[in-house]
Amino acid sequence: KMEEVGFMFFKADKKIHKFYFKDILFIEGSGNYVKIHSEKEKPLLVLEKLSDLIKKLPQQDFFRVHKSYIVNLQKIRQVEGNRIRLENADVPISATYKQDFERFLMRNK
């Protein structure tokens, strides 16, 4: 299982990049691509759908909060209204996912 490994490989720009889950801040989807934002690297554009990627990520660490965003739960600093503040970025929470996300937060306080 992926979460036991602690990392994942992504193919982009004719190379294979290794990302540790703990370094990923959030993942932004756009059509058939995702942009992986991490603490250590510049964002990496990967040919993969967000809906496929969410199935491969460890569920205890990653949460889909918007049709275009998955956040690393470990990196959340605060949640205010419809925004999640991460270490150096803000990510929106959409109405569709807000209820699930709030339920999740209440279970884990």
Side-chain angles (χ1 to χ4, degrees), residues 26-104:
F26 67 97
I27 300 167
E28 185 182 355
S30 177
N32 291 327
Y33 286 87
V34 293
K35 196 182 274 186
I36 298 162
H37 296 264
S38 80
E39 294 179 315
K40 299 207 160 65
E41 326 261 330
K42 60 184 201 315
L44 183 70
L45 195 64
V46 178
L47 179 60
E48 176 137 34
K49 286 193 170 106
L50 204 67
S51 53
D52 294 335
L53 185 56
I54 189 71
K55 295 174 194 147
K56 300 177 191 173
L57 292 165
Q59 283 183 327
Q60 75 272 18
D61 293 325
F62 291 90
F63 206 95
R64 190 165 185 179
V65 293
H66 187 282
K67 74 175 172 54
S68 305
Y69 291 96
I70 295 169
V71 295
N72 182 342
L73 297 164
Q74 314 281 345
K75 303 294 179 189
I76 294 174
R77 290 260 168 96
Q78 48 186 193
V79 179
E80 188 185 341
N82 292 328
R83 301 203 76 70
I84 295 170
R85 177 141 304 147
L86 301 160
E87 295 187 5
N88 56 3
D90 281 4
V91 170
I93 308 169
S94 66
T96 321
Y97 294 92
K98 193 170 170 76
Q99 232 179 344
D100 282 345
F101 185 60
E102 284 178 348
R103 250 198 309 271
F104 172 84

Side-chain angles (χ1 to χ4, degrees), residues 5-45:
V5 180
F7 59 84
M8 195 170 165
F9 290 101
F10 296 99
K11 220 160 134 182
D13 55 39
K14 300 190 172 72
K15 299 184 200 90
I16 294 173
H17 302 259
K18 180 181 187 177
F19 277 85
Y20 285 92
F21 296 133
K22 65 180 173 48
D23 295 333
I24 297 172
L25 288 169
F26 67 97
I27 300 167
E28 185 182 355
S30 177
N32 291 327
Y33 286 87
V34 293
K35 196 182 274 186
I36 298 162
H37 296 264
S38 80
E39 294 179 315
K40 299 207 160 65
E41 326 261 330
K42 60 184 201 315
L44 183 70
L45 195 64

